[in-house]
Amino acid sequence: MTILPIRIYGEPVLHEVAEPVGEITEEIRTLVSDMYETMDLAPGVGLAGPQVGVNKRLFTYSWEDEDGTKLRGVAIDPELWISPAEPESLEELDYDEEEGCLSVPGERYTLRRAEHALLRARDIDGKPYELEASGWFARILQHEFDHLNGILYVDRLGLTSWKQAFKVMKKKGWNTPGQSWLPGVDNLEG
């Protein structure tokens, strides 16, 4: 297995709509295996093809819910339906709505997401499956699905947080092509 470099905000592949995977080849199987290893080492709870420079509609996820159930898999050519998000109040968002991204390493901002999601996708063997998710797992699925549509979570932030995020990225020299980091080698998460 290979640890893959994770692209940082500004890399063009992160801002494009990804192409369908179609047939699951040995190349795709190897990519998914490498994505699991990269995600685990990063550490992350999800990783999309565009984040490792592959413009394909697939992502891996790994999450343990409150009752200890491990949710781990790959979503190939996924579709996602979400419940309407609760409208934001004039008050600050809750801390438990704070989100991060391996393509904006070390930064976290609050973002309102839908509480429930329904995912339909194919697994590594090409078999269709369906998952209903709520809470953090629904957030993970929405976050990774956004990557497949060229959207990063910082693109969805409210104006104040958006300005803060882009100020930080400018200071770090991000938001330009050619930026990446390698889990296990580069220390950008802290």
Side-chain angles (χ1 to χ4, degrees):
M1 289 196 228
T2 303
I3 301 300
L4 303 169
I6 298 174
R7 301 328 194 258
I8 294 176
Y9 193 100
E11 185 64 23
V13 71
L14 293 173
H15 307 285
E16 299 169 359
V17 175
E19 299 172 2
V21 171
E23 180 184 351
I24 299 171
T25 63
E26 279 308 308
E27 182 179 62
I28 293 296
R29 289 177 184 278
T30 299
L31 171 64
V32 169
S33 181
D34 292 346
M35 287 174 64
Y36 278 127
E37 188 150 337
T38 302
M39 175 182 66
D40 291 343
L41 185 60
V45 294
L47 187 65
Q51 290 182 277
V52 294
V54 178
N55 191 25
K56 294 290 184 185
R57 295 189 74 78
L58 65 99
F59 63 82
T60 57
Y61 56 86
S62 184
W63 176 252
E64 188 172 320
D65 69 13
E66 296 80 28
D67 67 6
T69 303
K70 185 92 173 178
L71 305 163
R72 186 173 174 89
V74 61
I76 297 174
D77 293 331
E79 297 175 328
L80 188 72
W81 290 268
I82 59 174
S83 64
E86 292 292 321
E88 294 180 24
S89 69
L90 296 176
E91 300 171 19
E92 282 190 31
L93 295 171
D94 294 333
Y95 175 76
D96 65 352
E97 293 181 290
E98 194 175 69
E99 197 165 310
C101 180
L102 296 175
S103 291
V104 187
E107 302 303 317
R108 298 187 68 79
Y109 299 95
T110 53
L111 176 65
R112 180 75 31 101
R113 293 272 191 186
E115 180 63 24
H116 302 282
L118 173 68
L119 175 74
R120 288 189 182 140
R122 293 183 295 142
D123 66 16
I124 195 64
D125 296 317
K127 295 179 183 166
Y129 71 93
E130 183 174 291
L131 277 176
E132 290 185 40
S134 60
W136 267 100
F137 190 46
R139 176 180 293 275
I140 292 165
L141 297 179
Q142 291 169 74
H143 180 109
E144 298 309 323
F145 189 79
D146 271 355
H147 277 297
L148 305 183
N149 293 317
I151 301 167
L152 280 77
Y153 89 106
V154 291
D155 298 326
R156 293 190 178 276
L157 297 174
L159 184 58
T160 301
S161 294
W162 183 87
K163 285 181 178 179
Q164 181 183 3
F166 280 79
K167 183 177 181 181
V168 168
M169 286 193 285
K170 182 178 181 180
K171 183 177 180 180
K172 291 184 175 188
W174 299 345
N175 200 12
T176 59
Q179 303 291 319
S180 66
W181 69 282
L182 191 62
V185 175
D186 299 317
N187 183 16
L188 298 181
E189 274 297 302

